[in-house]
Amino acid sequence: MSSQADPSRPRSLESVANWDLEADVVIVGYGGAGACSAIEATRAGAEVLILEAAGGGGGCTAMSGGHLYLGGGTRPQKAVGLEDTAEDMYRYLMAGDDGPDQAKSRVYADESVAHFEWLVELGVPFTDAIWEERHTLQPDDACLIWSGNEKAYPFNQVARPAARGHKVAREGEAGAELWVHLSAAVEASGARIECDTPARALVVDSDGRVVGVIASQQGRELAVCARRGVVLSSGGFIMNRDMLRNHIPSIHQRLEHVEQHGNPHDQGVGIRMGAGAGAAAIRMGEYFITVPWYPPASLTYGILVNARGQRFVNEDCYHGRVAGAAFEQPEGKVYLIADDSCFGWPEMGFELAATEGSVEELERALELPATTLQHTLSVYNQHAARGEDPLFHKHPNWLKPLDQAPFAALDCSLGRAPYIAFTLGGLRTLPSGETLTEQGSAIPGLFAAGANASGITRSAGTYCSGQSVGDATFFGRRAGRSAAASAPWR
Ligand SMILES: Cc1cc2nc3c(=O)[nH]c(=O)nc-3n(C[C@H](O)[C@H](O)[C@H](O)COP(=O)(O)OP(=O)(O)OC[C@H]3O[C@@H](n4cnc5c(N)ncnc54)[C@H](O)[C@@H]3O)c2cc1C
């Protein structure tokens, strides 16, 4: 079969002369969602076959920082004295105006502690320590970090804040350590793994039931029968320019300035296969984006302004929420204004746009419209002196007048600063992993999880570090269990 074959065109059962491989549950993609799906499906007694496009498993999960967004009173949260409940976590997940998935958020919050324990039972290590300082990824092996907007407005109005970013115990990036334990559990489960075997299309019967997968291996087409179900877990589509053009033109048009955060197989094949079989693809225009402008945390005392010299966000938000807002600013121009008391160099790739002895000179050097930055800073400073930010509600802990010369502007503009993005849209699923049509009916035999599905990760404005790997592992398990429990079609 040609590698150009359209994955959105399913094959008919009649067109399959014979099956080359067969299993109860066939899993497409061996990353976090696929591995957890395989572990649970084999535990439920199913014979499992995993098809993986790359030479080995892991996908983005193994490349990741190893953050999982978990809470409700996990062991590390309790150990460091953090109070958290499933209800607070649920309320937090439901905050924002981007249409959170109520059913998924509910079950994710309610079963988050159990999911943590499940990972621990697999051998995934977590320390009982917290990294309190505002950071993108704790550099040591401390487990907990404030990885979202919990302490920032408006989220702090709806739920008691708690640190819920749980990093696997390893210094720096820890996704590889997570993968060591997930893959060991899959190998011990007896699931069969076929690497270098990309899935190309689904096979459906005349009633629309998904009955198998067409894959290719060493240039040969394989027909793979899935007696009970197919789980699509082959990741997102940040590497697919055509899909970006169709679904996220704002990223596509600015790709030269945005790093595509993913692996080469993030081509959206699973999403297209599922959509071709009738599943709705939803939130396809949503993405995660970041420009990691902190640490140092002291920069949070600064203000972010656009090409009009105006603020547009409370700067104490998570870097992804800030980047989402920055990405939308006119001309893509954004500056972080700091005074001598709070300036520091971000860890990665930022340049100084200007440094001057007065705000007026800085405004001129940045070519901002006359008096705009001066006015913004004057209003900000007046309120900051009283511990207030009536415009954006930055927390008083991060408010102090910026009045100590010299003044500096770090360039956070598109094309100048390191913007990084991946996709969040995917197939519409129930918390069980069953895929749904536009009309809301389940497609028999078809399940999806991880970045193949639209989950608790919703938009740049509400994303938190750890939500993707958390979602992939949590809902991957559920999809595997559901597929294993489906009645076989033969
Ligand atoms: C550098 C980096 C750091 C990140 N850090 C974090 C973090 O700390 N916390 C967090 O929550 N999120 C993080 N993310 C995002 C997160 O890693 C992913 O969203 C998540 O791991 C997706 O899991 P998944 O199982 O859906 O996909 P993946 O883990 O990517 O697995 C998908 C697998 O499917 C395979 N595949 C693709 N197409 C096919 C096909 N046609 N047939 C068969 N197999 C196929 C791929 O090769 C891959 O192995 C990070 C992302 C990157 C790139």
Side-chain angles (χ1 to χ4, degrees), residues 119-381:
L119 291 164
V120 169
E121 274 166 34
L122 289 189
V124 181
F126 296 96
T127 66
D128 284 338
I130 184 166
W131 183 273
E132 276 289 359
E133 206 179 327
R134 191 160 143 85
H135 211 295
T136 52
L137 181 85
Q138 54 274 57
D140 68 2
D141 69 355
C143 172
L144 289 163
I145 193 169
W146 296 86
S147 70
N149 296 295
E150 298 85 359
K151 293 199 255 189
Y153 183 89
F155 302 90
N156 57 7
Q157 306 294 297
V158 295
R160 183 175 48 174
R164 302 196 182 96
H166 287 62
K167 197 185 79 162
V168 175
R170 177 159 150 174
E171 293 196 358
E173 311 278 338
E177 179 71 25
L178 172 64
W179 185 248
V180 164
H181 301 281
L182 294 183
S183 57
V186 174
E187 279 156 31
S189 75
R192 177 172 172 180
I193 306 162
E194 293 289 334
C195 290
D196 291 314
T197 308
R200 304 291 194 201
L202 290 171
V203 182
V204 297
D205 72 10
S206 51
D207 295 327
R209 189 198 199 283
V210 172
V211 295
V213 175
I214 300 296
S216 68
Q217 199 175 54
Q218 294 178 336
R220 196 170 78 88
E221 186 173 293
L222 291 182
V224 183
C225 173
R227 285 185 296 261
R228 292 178 187 273
V230 171
V231 177
L232 296 173
S233 52
S234 62
F237 62 92
I238 191 65
M239 297 301 176
N240 186 317
R241 285 179 176 245
D242 288 339
M243 288 181 81
L244 290 178
R245 185 190 305 113
N246 290 337
H247 299 292
I248 321 182
S250 62
I251 298 254
H252 181 261
Q253 284 154 12
R254 296 184 270 182
L255 268 182
E256 73 211 84
H257 302 316
V258 179
E259 183 188 319
Q260 295 153 279
H261 213 40
N263 74 74
H265 296 284
D266 281 338
Q267 300 287 346
V269 172
I271 297 172
R272 287 183 285 158
M273 280 169 42
I282 60 171
R283 299 177 191 280
M284 292 293 282
E286 298 293 349
Y287 53 88
F288 161 81
I289 190 159
T290 185
V291 56
W293 56 278
Y294 61 84
S298 68
L299 285 172
T300 312
Y301 290 110
I303 58 168
L304 286 150
V305 299
N306 60 20
R308 294 170 187 152
Q310 293 171 333
R311 288 175 73 212
F312 52 88
V313 73
N314 41 329
E315 295 84 359
D316 56 343
C317 286
Y318 168 67
H319 53 89
R321 183 172 170 85
V322 167
F327 193 61
E328 300 300 328
Q329 294 309 303
E331 302 159 46
K333 274 198 185 155
V334 174
Y335 300 108
L336 176 69
I337 310 296
D339 75 351
D340 195 44
S341 72
C342 68
F343 183 80
W345 283 106
E347 282 182 357
M348 52 187 287
F350 284 79
E351 296 166 17
L352 208 52
T355 174
E356 299 289 345
S358 72
V359 175
E360 191 180 349
E361 288 168 303
L362 191 68
E363 182 183 87
R364 250 197 319 274
L366 296 175
E367 298 178 1
L368 298 175
T371 75
T372 52
L373 181 62
Q374 295 175 70
H375 180 70
T376 295
L377 259 175
S378 156
V379 171
Y380 178 81
N381 284 350

Side-chain angles (χ1 to χ4, degrees), residues 29 31-33 51-53 59-61 64-67 199 234 261 265 450-451 466 468-469:
L51 305 174
E52 167 55 46
C60 288
T61 305
S64 78
H67 274 146
S234 62
H261 213 40
H265 296 284
S468 295
V469 176

Side-chain angles (χ1 to χ4, degrees), residues 62-110:
M63 296 162 64
S64 78
H67 274 146
L68 293 99
Y69 197 80
L70 301 169
T74 62
R75 187 203 73 211
Q77 286 182 317
K78 286 185 175 157
V80 303
L82 267 179
E83 286 184 27
D84 193 16
T85 62
E87 196 52 38
D88 273 314
M89 182 172 175
Y90 171 70
R91 279 205 293 266
Y92 176 78
L93 291 173
M94 291 295 291
D97 54 6
D98 55 356
D101 186 316
Q102 191 259 335
K104 281 186 185 158
S105 301
R106 180 81 262 175
V107 71
Y108 189 81
D110 286 349

